[in-house]
């Protein structure tokens, strides 16, 4: 199967290292400047994206909405269960530590090309349960925390909806459900509650 592969990381040396690791494993990859234009281009594509900043997380979610057949690999600065779950829910098919060894990277990438994903057991357990646990306690999911942070920063619901891939009406409904789950009377009350509980 012919697969197009893109590597996106802010450090040129790191990008080059991933390209070399992939070359050693028999894969050719590219480092496009405009990922969104690149994924709209052709056939099956894999994007390897480092997640370090909020903008990187938004890129991950945006790429997921851009091309249906796109396979996303998330490289995390700090490999944690929470960030792994967040990346998988945001559209990543595979999550690896940014400082993983070349051999482990090759193994994970080969599995991905075969249509499989190597996910740690503790991450699978968290994927199976946390939404219910969070909902019971009123605690927002990682995505919902991002929404609250954006609202606290002055982002409009319309813009938030566009970034999340929902209609504005659906976004209002999702936010209303979130506020209710948090025990808040509205947006301001929810943001105050989130600030007090350290969710922002």
């Amino acid at each position: 199967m012919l697969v197009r592969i893109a590597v996106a990381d802010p450090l040129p040396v790191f990008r080059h290292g991933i390209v070399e690791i992939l070359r050693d494993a028999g894969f050719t990859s590219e480092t496009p400047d405009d990922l969104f234009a690149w994924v709209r281009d052709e056939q099956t594509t894999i994007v390897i994206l480092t997640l370090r900043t909020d903008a990187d997380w938004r890129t991950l979610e945006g790429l997921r909405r851009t091309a249906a057949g796109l396979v996303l690999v998330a490289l995390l600065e700090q490999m944690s269960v929470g960030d792994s779950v967040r990346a998988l829910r945001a559209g990543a098919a595979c999550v690896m530590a940014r400082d993983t060894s070349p051999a482990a990277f090759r193994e994970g990438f080969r599995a991905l090309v075969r249509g499989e994903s190597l996910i740690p057991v503790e991450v699978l357990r968290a994927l199976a349960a946390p939404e219910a646990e969070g909902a019971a306690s009123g605690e927002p999911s990682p995505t919902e925390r991002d929404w609250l942070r954006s609202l606290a920063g002055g982002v409009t619901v319309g813009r938030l909806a566009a970034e999340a891939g929902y209609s504005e009406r659906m976004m209002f409904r999702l936010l209303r459900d979130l506020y209710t789950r948090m025990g808040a009377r509205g947006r301001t009350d929810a943001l105050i509650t989130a600030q007090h509980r350290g969710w922002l």
Side-chain angles (χ1 to χ4, degrees), residues 6-21:
V7 179
D9 187 278
L11 297 176
V13 171
F14 187 85
R15 282 195 311 269
H16 179 74
I18 293 291
V19 168
E20 289 301 314
I21 290 168

Side-chain angles (χ1 to χ4, degrees), residues 19-39:
V19 168
E20 289 301 314
I21 290 168
L22 290 170
R23 184 177 294 134
D24 289 347
F27 300 102
T28 302
S29 57
E30 304 170 53
T31 57
D33 292 326
D34 184 346
L35 279 175
F36 290 96
W38 187 86
V39 299

Side-chain angles (χ1 to χ4, degrees), residues 102-174:
F105 184 87
R106 279 192 292 272
E107 179 186 358
F109 194 82
R110 283 188 176 125
L112 196 64
V113 171
R114 290 192 309 267
E116 302 167 359
S117 182
L118 304 178
I119 300 173
V121 171
E122 62 269 18
V123 174
L124 286 174
R125 286 187 182 130
L127 273 170
E131 291 285 62
E133 290 169 8
S137 68
E139 184 174 340
S141 70
T143 299
E144 291 169 334
R145 288 183 193 209
D146 285 344
W147 294 347
L148 291 168
R149 276 191 284 273
S150 294
L151 291 171
V155 171
T156 65
V157 174
R159 182 169 158 211
L160 188 63
E163 290 176 355
Y166 295 114
S167 69
E168 192 168 341
R169 185 175 182 175
M170 176 58 87
M171 194 77 237
F172 271 111
R173 188 176 306 140
L174 291 169

